[in-house]
Amino acid sequence: MTNLRLNIRSPVFLKQKDDTSLRQAVERRKLHTETFDGAWERVLAMKNSEVDTRRLLEVKRAMEEGKIGRDPERAGRRFSKAEALDLYRELEEIKRKERLNALIESMPDTYELVTDKERLDEVIQLLSEESIVVFDVETTGTDVWNDLIVGHVLSATSADRHFYIPTDHIDESIPQLNRDYVAEKLRPLYENENIGFIAHNAKFDLAMLKNNFDIDVKNLVWDTMEAQFLLNENEPSYALKPLATKYLKDNSYTYGDLFGSRGFHEIPLKQALAYAAKDGDITYRLYEFQKYHMKKVGNIYEYFTTVEVPLIKIVSEIELRGYDIDDDYAKKYEKELEQGIARMAEEIRQELGDINLNSPAQLKPAIEKAIGKEIPNTNAKETLKPLAKEYPIIATLLKYREDNKTLGTYIKALPRLKKRTGRVHAGLHQNGTVTGRFSSGEDKNDVSKDGVINIQNQSPEARSLFVAPPGKFIVNADFSAQEVRIIASESQEDVLLEAFKQGRDAYATLASEFFGKPYEDCYKNPDGSDTEERKQMKVVLLSSMYGASKYGLSTSLGIGVDEAEEFRQEFFAKYRKIDEFIKRTQEYAKKHGYVWIGDKYRKRRLPEAKMERKFIPYGEWNNPKYAEAKARNSAILKAMRQAPNASIQGLAAIQTKITMLEMDKLLKRKGWEWFAPIHDEIVIYTDDNLTKEDIADIERVMTQSYLLKGVDNATDIEIQRRWGNSISANDYLNGKEVP
């Protein structure tokens, strides 16, 4: 072994020693010469995020007030941003304790912890005499499939008494009742149809009670979260505490503000009572506030109580039922996709070179070399799709990307998302958009749906994994041309009204009129595809109705901006009633700052529409000097474009929801089940022995539940055992076997 000896007299060693000593000396000098104000000035001058800046300023203020101070072990070192943020965490813990102490000290005498059987019986008797009861369940977490209920919040509203019944808190200072005993005692109360129940985000509580104890709350009459969507669809948060703070002027802290990430079972019972009973208290007060204001505005109260509230139970039922996935088919399809992807990857690399196909930096120059021209990027929609017809390798690349997404996002993922039910489950949000349409998937306002699927966004390939249980069909019933029929009804445009009266395609009819060509020449090509004329009519009508600018229309039509604007002007000059409807809606928004949807059922608030435009000199649109004016004018234009969009899409949402209520009655009468609303379709499970009368009943519900002015509704019904592999109702009635 070679012996190594360090020569401390080496010039290199001496230089390193001198450098270290010099740095230490500089730091000591900075420490002794920098004032504390100077240190803060330095820290705050760094490139800090908005969140960090707020936290740093809070720490600075707390230190100045003497609430917190530096750790003695750090006092000999230069003050840093890292130390300041550590102090913020310390400050948050102090503030959390202060909040909890204040919560307990300010707790009203009307809040009560129920921990013995005799008192539980008395409380249940009191609650049974109420017409309105607030309910809430406290849990170990927010996963409705795996977390447990640890207590029940119940408010006797007329008596102004708010109870918390704990069952599974770790706190042993006070005896608690058995969870199953409490659930069985409360079951008759929850299932009493003569008591109206109120909750905030009721779906979570409904799901927890169902999954934990198979309890079904019979008479839900209000959900303060869903109600707030109708009172203000632009609300920054629909969580209970921010709403109480904003509208009730009751400074209410969120769960995280008070308890951090602890489960509620870890919260001491005195703190738990103060927090849980207050939830019941402010939920009722928020209900009273919402009801008062709803009754003052249009027909919102009537619509909410007769449509939105009953729909909550239906949506909860859909989420709880879930979907059967064909695992064997998924495994087979996975192998097929993997083999196809591998073949395509090899084909692409043979032409583009041995590159990483998922790296835009490598892909872009390879494509440019292969096609002999530059491209701006490798975006599929903007760049590659327009090139696919001309260059087969681009088409192969797009297919490679699409199949990779299908494989990873759906085929591999779906079977792994099964819950303990053995099914996958959706998250549905009945007011998921500002116009009241459904959305699906996880939602910031409903944290109980982690790991759920977006049922409305399943690709055609992924749909094939969803199958009906034995003895059942999956039946799709769509609203045929739903939004165009609503446009015809709202505008009373003669050409559209006549087209629907004659049972003709609306877009082909418009195209025939506009271009002066026979209807048949504008409807379908010999291969069954849409004609260019029909496509153009669809694009110009819907894009104009739904807020696209002339630039968006230009992109959609693949023509110049000026040409697109000229096309649109010609269209509206010919179809004046459609143009008048748009202008009428926009003028209303400009005057009032909102538009009504349906028979004053809900508003779409567009406050920017009322603002006055700022003057920007010609040619100065992109001048930074006018950035604020530009942003203001853009917001006004956006609001004006959204006005007709909201009127049409919002009415489509109302039609869908009212039809769902009628469909639910049909399902219960026939013993069928819900699948889900999917965009403009209502999908259900039926028995696999459908009769002509059954299909007629489905058609009647779809076409007669919500009638439009001057336009008949229509529906197309498809039947299948595997979702997407369907036959028409007519084929079924003519003896064709359902695949």
Side-chain angles (χ1 to χ4, degrees):
M1 179 182 289
T2 303
N3 291 322
L4 297 176
R5 178 177 297 175
L6 181 63
N7 183 354
I8 61 173
R9 297 185 179 276
S10 162
V12 174
F13 179 81
L14 290 173
K15 184 177 184 306
Q16 290 173 342
K17 182 179 179 182
D18 289 345
D19 287 347
T20 303
S21 299
L22 180 61
R23 283 196 299 272
Q24 291 173 345
V26 169
E27 285 298 312
R28 284 195 299 271
R29 184 175 180 183
K30 285 181 178 178
L31 178 64
H32 291 297
T33 59
E34 186 179 49
T35 66
F36 204 55
D37 285 342
W40 270 113
E41 187 176 338
R42 169 176 48 80
V43 170
L44 290 170
M46 294 176 177
K47 289 184 177 179
N48 300 311
S49 67
E50 187 177 332
V51 172
D52 278 353
T53 299
R54 177 179 58 79
R55 291 177 175 179
L56 291 169
L57 289 172
E58 283 188 41
V59 171
K60 182 174 183 293
R61 185 166 55 251
M63 293 182 80
E64 290 169 349
E65 294 172 354
K67 287 186 177 179
I68 54 173
R70 299 186 71 186
D71 186 333
E73 293 184 4
R74 280 179 153 178
R77 285 180 267 169
R78 193 182 188 207
F79 189 68
S80 66
K81 177 181 174 180
E83 183 181 353
L85 292 177
D86 285 343
L87 286 170
Y88 175 78
R89 285 184 278 276
E90 181 183 325
L91 177 62
E92 274 297 287
E93 191 56 38
I94 292 170
K95 287 163 65 177
R96 184 172 288 126
K97 290 177 181 176
E98 290 175 348
R99 293 170 192 143
L100 284 169
N101 289 335
L103 186 68
I104 293 172
E105 289 170 5
S106 63
M107 182 172 61
D109 294 337
T110 55
Y111 294 7
E112 181 183 343
L113 199 65
V114 181
T115 57
D116 66 71
K117 294 181 178 180
E118 183 179 349
R119 185 56 183 151
L120 177 62
D121 288 340
E122 293 170 351
V123 167
I124 291 173
Q125 180 59 41
L126 176 64
L127 291 165
S128 298
E129 295 167 1
E130 294 280 346
S131 59
I132 297 290
V133 169
V134 177
F135 79 107
D136 181 26
V137 294
E138 300 296 352
T139 61
T140 54
T142 58
D143 184 342
V144 299
W145 304 106
N146 297 306
D147 282 309
L148 299 174
I149 291 174
V150 299
H152 302 255
V153 181
L154 292 158
S155 291
T157 56
S158 67
D160 190 24
R161 300 288 299 180
H162 309 278
F163 304 101
Y164 182 52
I165 310 165
T167 59
D168 291 271
H169 284 252
I170 294 173
D171 186 351
E172 297 180 357
S173 63
I174 302 173
Q176 300 166 63
L177 294 170
N178 175 272
R179 70 190 312 269
D180 293 324
Y181 174 82
V182 169
E184 288 310 308
K185 294 292 286 187
L186 292 178
R187 183 186 298 278
L189 182 75
Y190 282 127
E191 297 183 350
N192 188 336
E193 295 183 359
N194 296 316
I195 299 174
F197 283 92
I198 296 172
H200 187 86
N201 188 17
K203 277 198 306 171
F204 175 74
D205 303 281
L206 295 174
M208 291 300 298
L209 285 167
K210 189 69 175 177
N211 285 341
N212 273 234
F213 303 116
D214 196 28
I215 288 175
D216 182 21
V217 178
K218 294 294 185 184
N219 188 24
L220 181 72
V221 297
W222 201 273
D223 184 330
T224 46
M225 187 176 83
E226 294 298 337
Q228 197 61 38
F229 283 111
L230 270 74
L231 282 170
N232 183 13
E233 74 282 2
N234 300 321
E235 202 74 61
S237 171
Y238 292 90
L240 178 61
K241 303 308 188 299
L243 293 178
T245 301
K246 180 176 179 179
Y247 292 107
L248 305 179
K249 309 305 177 189
D250 187 323
N251 195 22
S252 301
Y253 293 104
T254 66
Y255 186 92
D257 289 335
L258 294 170
F259 306 119
S261 59
R262 288 182 291 169
F264 204 70
H265 61 297
E266 300 175 272
I267 308 305
L269 287 175
K270 285 186 178 180
Q271 295 178 3
L273 169 63
Y275 177 84
K278 185 171 183 177
D279 270 5
D281 188 358
I282 61 178
T283 296
Y284 182 68
R285 285 192 279 143
L286 186 59
Y287 154 74
E288 292 276 78
F289 172 88
Q290 291 174 336
K291 183 173 68 170
Y292 171 78
H293 285 281
M294 269 192 187
K295 286 185 173 182
K296 290 169 61 178
V297 186
N299 297 316
I300 295 179
Y301 176 80
E302 176 192 357
Y303 169 74
F304 178 70
T305 54
T306 60
V307 178
E308 295 287 347
V309 172
L311 201 61
I312 294 168
K313 291 290 295 289
I314 295 173
V315 172
S316 177
E317 183 181 323
I318 293 170
E319 290 183 346
L320 286 169
R321 189 205 181 280
Y323 304 96
D324 298 277
I325 298 295
D326 187 338
D327 289 331
D328 292 337
Y329 182 86
K331 290 175 184 176
K332 177 185 175 185
Y333 194 18
E334 180 181 333
K335 288 180 181 178
E336 290 176 3
L337 279 174
E338 286 176 338
Q339 291 170 357
I341 288 168
R343 285 194 300 270
M344 285 187 285
E346 180 61 29
E347 180 183 338
I348 295 167
R349 288 195 177 95
Q350 284 180 1
E351 192 154 341
L352 299 185
D354 189 15
I355 61 171
N356 180 353
L357 300 182
N358 299 314
S359 167
Q362 294 184 35
L363 194 57
K364 183 175 179 291
I367 291 174
E368 290 173 336
K369 182 179 179 181
I371 67 177
K373 60 182 178 183
E374 291 187 4
I375 57 174
N377 51 51
T378 60
N379 181 276
K381 185 175 181 180
E382 294 175 4
T383 305
L384 299 185
K385 283 188 178 179
L387 295 170
K389 291 182 181 179
E390 187 177 355
Y391 301 99
I393 194 63
I394 303 295
T396 303
L397 176 63
L398 288 172
K399 175 66 174 168
Y400 167 84
R401 283 183 173 182
E402 183 183 333
D403 283 2
N404 256 314
K405 180 181 178 181
T406 298
L407 178 64
T409 306
Y410 301 110
I411 309 306
K412 283 186 175 181
L414 280 171
R416 297 172 186 168
L417 290 175
K418 287 184 178 181
K419 304 296 183 182
R420 57 184 172 82
T421 58
R423 295 167 171 167
V424 298
H425 293 262
L428 286 169
H429 317 294
Q430 67 191 67
N431 287 291
T433 72
V434 290
T435 57
R437 293 194 302 172
F438 272 91
S439 69
S440 184
E442 295 180 13
D443 177 50
K444 66 179 180 180
N445 294 305
D446 185 0
V447 294
S448 64
K449 299 297 182 288
D450 292 337
V452 299
I453 63 169
N454 182 343
I455 191 62
Q456 293 187 321
N457 195 35
Q458 299 300 306
S459 69
E461 295 82 6
R463 287 186 176 195
S464 61
L465 270 63
F466 292 75
V467 291
K472 301 289 183 182
F473 285 149
I474 298 172
V475 176
N476 296 45
D478 75 356
F479 293 97
S480 179
Q482 182 184 28
E483 293 184 357
V484 183
R485 288 176 193 271
I486 291 173
I487 293 171
S489 177
E490 293 293 287
S491 69
Q492 291 294 295
E493 175 59 57
D494 298 311
V495 176
L496 289 176
L497 294 175
E498 186 61 24
F500 287 122
K501 185 177 179 181
Q502 298 295 329
R504 290 191 160 202
D505 178 79
Y507 301 121
T509 302
L510 287 172
S512 175
E513 288 271 328
F514 187 81
F515 295 108
K517 293 184 176 182
Y519 171 84
E520 291 73 16
D521 293 349
C522 296
Y523 184 40
K524 296 288 184 182
N525 290 315
D527 63 358
S529 62
D530 287 341
T531 64
E532 192 63 30
E533 292 85 357
R534 185 183 186 278
K535 287 180 186 176
Q536 288 180 335
M537 286 296 101
K538 185 174 184 178
V539 168
V540 73
L541 177 61
L542 295 183
S543 65
S544 298
M545 193 68 63
Y546 295 157
S549 66
K550 60 184 179 181
Y551 303 99
L553 182 59
S554 166
T555 301
S556 298
L557 290 173
I559 58 179
V561 174
D562 292 339
E563 188 181 354
E565 182 61 18
E566 183 180 352
F567 186 14
R568 181 161 63 181
Q569 293 298 333
E570 288 180 14
F571 178 88
F572 288 120
K574 187 167 185 66
Y575 303 114
R576 292 189 180 277
K577 288 187 178 180
I578 297 176
D579 187 41
E580 288 169 4
F581 162 71
I582 293 174
K583 288 177 178 175
R584 184 169 65 247
T585 308
Q586 291 176 333
E587 284 301 313
Y588 192 93
K590 185 176 182 180
K591 181 178 180 180
H592 299 282
Y594 65 87
V595 293
W596 282 109
I597 299 174
D599 185 16
K600 294 189 176 182
Y601 287 158
R602 65 190 305 153
K603 288 180 177 180
R604 172 67 181 109
R605 295 155 187 85
L606 300 163
E608 294 85 0
K610 291 183 70 175
M611 298 192 306
E612 293 296 325
R613 289 170 59 90
K614 293 286 187 179
F615 174 72
I616 300 176
Y618 181 78
E620 297 294 316
W621 180 254
N622 292 317
N623 188 333
K625 176 182 176 182
Y626 297 101
E628 186 177 339
K630 178 182 176 181
R632 181 187 181 93
N633 292 352
S634 294
I636 294 169
L637 289 171
K638 182 179 179 182
M640 296 297 279
R641 291 196 302 268
Q642 286 179 327
N645 167 33
S647 299
I648 301 303
Q649 289 192 347
L651 188 53
I654 288 170
Q655 182 180 45
T656 297
K657 290 176 177 179
I658 291 175
T659 303
M660 285 180 68
L661 294 179
E662 293 302 312
M663 185 65 77
D664 189 64
K665 295 175 185 176
L666 180 66
L667 299 189
K668 291 193 169 37
R669 193 164 69 245
K670 291 183 178 287
W672 299 343
E673 291 183 294
W674 274 101
F675 186 96
I678 309 291
H679 302 301
D680 61 351
E681 292 180 302
I682 289 179
V683 189
I684 59 176
Y685 294 104
T686 71
D687 296 332
D688 63 358
N689 57 352
L690 280 179
T691 65
K692 183 178 180 180
E693 289 72 24
D694 290 333
I695 292 172
D697 284 338
I698 296 171
E699 183 176 5
R700 175 185 52 77
V701 168
M702 292 297 297
T703 59
Q704 301 302 310
S705 297
Y706 188 94
L707 302 177
L708 301 172
K709 181 182 176 183
V711 185
D712 290 337
N713 294 312
T715 186
D716 297 311
I717 298 173
E718 301 285 330
I719 303 170
Q720 60 248 280
R721 295 185 190 274
R722 184 181 299 279
W723 194 21
N725 188 15
S726 64
I727 63 171
S728 71
N730 284 336
D731 284 344
Y732 171 79
L733 292 175
N734 287 328
K736 188 171 182 179
E737 187 175 350
V738 177

